Amino acid sequence: NAGVTQTPKFRILKIGQSMTLQCTQDMNHNYMYWYRQDPGMGLKLIYYSVGAGITDKGEVPNGYNVSRSTTEDFPLRLELAAPSQTSVYFCAIQGPNTGELFFGEGSRLTVL
Amino acid sequence: KQEVTQIPAALSVPEGENLVLNCSFTDSAIYNLQWFRQDPGKGLTSLLLIQSSQREQTSGRLNASLDKSSGRSTLYIAASQPGDSATYLCAVRGAGFQKLVFGTGTRLLVSP
């Protein structure tokens, strides 16, 4: 998973709290993604970005926001945490020519 | 809408066996297909990427094939080892460089 760094690795939130999951890459790739993974449900796309200053919604964007002010960073913000947002969150970058995806180690979030 | 299915959901084999993991997809108009490995509590590690014009890719003991017309890909693992125990996911990118759609994975256990 070299190239994509996610922080924090674990976090417990109370309902209604806010937080930001950080994702940083050192590969200078334009395309970046945020996924959530729930048991037995596969990965669902939350938001993605095709370059600095450009973001777009994926399949499950409600309750989340993103920004992409630099090529390196793609933070994911939860404004009012809900139990339904308990999940493992993965950030990924995409190789420019082949479209191959490379993932970070993930951030495990629990909302109580 | 592309749907990706992986059967079986779980597989248990003794060490040394050759095995095949299956991935099916509903829309044959794909750009590429990627196989990943996920260890418990970890991120996804890219194993093999097959472009739509290719029939197979090989890396060490792993061989992935692609049959677009039948909507199928297989991941062949030769001489399985306990260290191969993990969840294997396939993901399909639609034609036109669309976003990846993931299967729910096959959980593999290789016993010594």
Side-chain angles (χ1 to χ4, degrees):
Chain A
N1 302 96
V4 184
T5 302
Q6 290 185 237
T7 57
K9 287 186 167 41
F10 303 94
R11 182 73 185 269
I12 298 175
L13 283 181
K14 295 182 179 178
I15 294 173
Q17 286 185 320
S18 301
M19 76 159 298
T20 299
L21 301 178
Q22 302 291 346
C23 176
T24 299
Q25 58 136 335
D26 60 5
M27 305 291 287
N28 203 37
H29 289 335
N30 284 323
Y31 284 64
M32 296 186 74
Y33 300 84
W34 274 106
Y35 289 90
R36 60 177 288 174
Q37 185 179 38
D38 301 304
M41 298 295 291
L43 277 82
K44 300 295 184 184
L45 181 64
I46 306 172
Y47 270 96
Y48 67 101
S49 171
V50 300
I54 305 170
T55 63
D56 208 347
K57 297 178 180 179
E59 299 173 80
V60 290
N62 291 342
Y64 307 95
N65 276 302
V66 293
S67 60
R68 186 88 184 274
S69 56
T70 67
T71 300
E72 293 77 20
D73 300 306
F74 189 39
L76 177 71
R77 183 155 180 85
L78 287 71
E79 290 294 348
L80 293 170
S84 61
Q85 293 178 304
T86 294
S87 188
V88 182
Y89 292 84
F90 290 102
C91 179
I93 60 175
Q94 179 176 301
N97 298 317
T98 64
E100 188 172 6
L101 247 60
F102 302 95
F103 282 79
E105 288 278 302
S107 296
R108 185 177 297 274
L109 176 67
T110 301
V111 182
L112 301 175
Chain B
K1 179 184 176 185
Q2 179 75 270
E3 293 183 1
V4 181
T5 304
Q6 292 185 250
I7 295 173
L11 181 64
S12 182
V13 300
E15 181 177 8
E17 275 203 8
N18 302 323
L19 57 98
V20 173
L21 306 181
N22 297 298
C23 173
S24 301
F25 47 95
T26 54
D27 187 348
S28 61
I30 69 169
Y31 184 85
N32 60 30
L33 183 147
Q34 194 168 354
W35 282 93
F36 296 89
R37 168 187 173 135
Q38 186 175 27
D39 293 290
K42 299 292 186 181
L44 281 70
T45 299
S46 179
L47 296 174
L48 289 164
L49 175 73
I50 309 178
Q51 301 295 347
S52 63
S53 59
Q54 298 173 321
R55 296 297 299 269
E56 66 177 350
Q57 283 284 350
T58 298
S59 176
R61 293 183 294 109
L62 305 180
N63 176 276
S65 68
L66 175 64
D67 184 344
K68 286 192 301 180
S69 61
S70 65
R72 295 173 63 180
S73 176
T74 61
L75 179 66
Y76 175 83
I77 302 177
S80 59
Q81 303 170 358
D84 294 329
S85 298
T87 297
Y88 292 80
L89 298 102
C90 73
V92 175
R93 185 185 301 279
F97 214 65
Q98 296 178 31
K99 296 172 285 297
L100 279 180
V101 177
F102 283 83
T104 53
T106 293
R107 189 170 66 253
L108 174 66
L109 176 64
V110 182
S111 305

